[in-house]
Amino acid sequence: MGHPVRHSRSPKLHGHWLRVLGIAGEYTLADVRPDDVAAFIRALGANGYAGGNVTVPHKVAALGAVDRVEPEAAAIGALNTLWFEDGQLVGGNTDVYGFLASLDQDAPGWDARHGRAVVLGAGGAARAIVYGLLRRGFSVTIVNRTVEKAEALAGYFGRGTMAAGWSALPALLPGCDLLINTTSLGMTGSPPLPIALDGLPRDATVFDAVYVPLETPLLAAARARGNRAVDGLGMLLHQGVPGFERWFGVRPAVTPELRALIEADLIS
Ligand code: ATR
């Protein structure tokens, strides 16, 4: 469920898992207008659905349409996955899991020490990522063009979070173990991030939540100077795992074959 939703790669992702696991199921897109989303969600079971995903702009409104919200989704203030448990419609947020699982798989040891992370951006994607980083013991500085939004997010999460504006970045990079972009800058059609990586330690990891293109200017610059760089496709693939398992009863795998399939779809 989204509005618009045509761009979603989720049917390809879940369609692949249904096929390789031999499950007779289907994952379809529903373009639902904001006024209709609560009614659509409440009718999911009656319409034969095992659950679903909720994307922009419904992730917050959906909280009010389910019987129960999982603690993680409540803490983030947004949900992205719905499923049934004992006849109740439950809402959860698998973006945190997707983010952490992607780094675990693509940058093993990234959280070996409870280091310092700099998160660029203070929107919806930043919320799940900051929450995940705090859970893994990082202290997090949220850097945003509109510093008030960074301050609001840091105030929301409290202990372990700080806020800053873009101009603070050069001073923050030397103490940074993990640099993360959650803004849309660097995405195809948007300008690149206006930052230089000078001062960032060579053993720091750089993660970009953007996945179109896979190699953003930020990741290319990070790789060129020897930093480990992780693109946003892994997060997209991994966030689908817990939902699929709840709907169909089998835990699917994020494999190189799946990644290649979705990569080809991003290019075409
Ligand atoms: P999402 O839910 O995908 O995170 P969002 O809530 O619209 O999207 O957040 C977009 C983020 O990208 C914000 O942090 C935004 O900064 P502002 O809060 O100052 O708007 C950031 N962003 C978008 N365009 C930007 C630009 N040209 N320069 C700097 N930051 C930008």
Side-chain angles (χ1 to χ4, degrees), residues 56 120-126 144-146 149 166 182-185 191 194:
V56 178
L120 307 173
N144 199 44
R145 171 177 60 181
T146 312
K149 275 173 71 180
W166 282 99
T182 73
T183 75
S184 49
L185 297 178

Side-chain angles (χ1 to χ4, degrees), residues 1-3 30-35 37 41 54-63 79:
M1 290 148 262
H3 185 69
D31 191 322
V32 185
R33 285 180 301 131
D35 284 351
V37 74
I41 287 174
V54 179
T55 189
V56 178
H58 304 318
K59 287 181 165 192
V60 178
L63 289 169
L79 60 74

Side-chain angles (χ1 to χ4, degrees), residues 24-117:
E26 195 184 1
Y27 184 104
T28 55
L29 294 176
D31 191 322
V32 185
R33 285 180 301 131
D35 284 351
D36 300 331
V37 74
F40 190 90
I41 287 174
R42 291 202 188 95
L44 274 182
N47 286 329
Y49 291 102
N53 286 128
V54 179
T55 189
V56 178
H58 304 318
K59 287 181 165 192
V60 178
L63 289 169
V66 297
D67 299 317
R68 182 161 69 77
V69 178
E70 283 219 315
E72 196 159 81
I76 295 161
L79 60 74
N80 74 337
T81 304
L82 306 170
W83 66 92
F84 288 95
E85 259 177 58
D86 304 326
Q88 282 203 315
L89 184 61
V90 185
N93 192 312
T94 66
D95 287 333
V96 178
Y97 168 82
F99 166 66
L100 294 173
S102 156
L103 277 171
D104 288 343
Q105 189 170 65
D106 298 333
W110 68 278
D111 63 342
R113 74 186 138 120
H114 295 159
R116 283 181 285 184

